[in-house]
Amino acid sequence: MKRLIAPIALAAVLVLAGCSATNTADASAGKTSTPTKAAASTPTPDPVVIPDLTGNWKQNNSASDDGWMTAAISDNTITANFVTDNGDTTSLFWVGTFTPPTDDKSPYTWTSTRDTAATDSALLASTDPSKDFIYEDGEISFPVSIAGSSATVRLSKQ
């Protein structure tokens, strides 16, 4: 019985050692090993997509069917208007600086400084020296106050 166990144990050791050995012929021939499943299934990070906020925006939370707000963003300027009479009347509310986002972090908030030369003569324009705008989930939002009433305007890109 002892004679039988020794050869079986030796065979098992050789089989196990052979499974874990590296094939030196393949390595010396310049062949590389195939990546393991763990390495092959490593997720690739999503590419960074910086939102482009330039363009025209329209209010999506207006309480009126014939009145809303719009905004236009170009270069480093944001211009917001009240639109009434089903689009026949436009009144300036804000002209100020715009700083485009440089990464994909959300929410993106910027503080706009009012262009006093553009807004001082506009009857419905804000007189605030600056205004905070927030971009998140495809919307730009900002506060509007007129005659003691305040609301948050939400805009979607057109």
Side-chain angles (χ1 to χ4, degrees), residues 46-95:
D46 291 335
V48 173
V49 178
I50 300 170
D52 180 11
L53 305 185
T54 58
N56 296 315
W57 297 75
K58 183 177 179 184
Q59 185 175 5
N60 61 31
N61 68 334
S62 177
S64 172
D65 290 336
D66 69 345
W68 55 87
M69 287 195 78
T70 62
I73 298 176
S74 62
D75 299 322
N76 62 349
T77 302
I78 181 167
T79 303
N81 292 298
F82 291 108
V83 179
T84 56
D85 299 326
N86 283 317
D88 289 342
T89 305
T90 301
S91 303
L92 183 65
F93 172 72
W94 184 265
V95 178

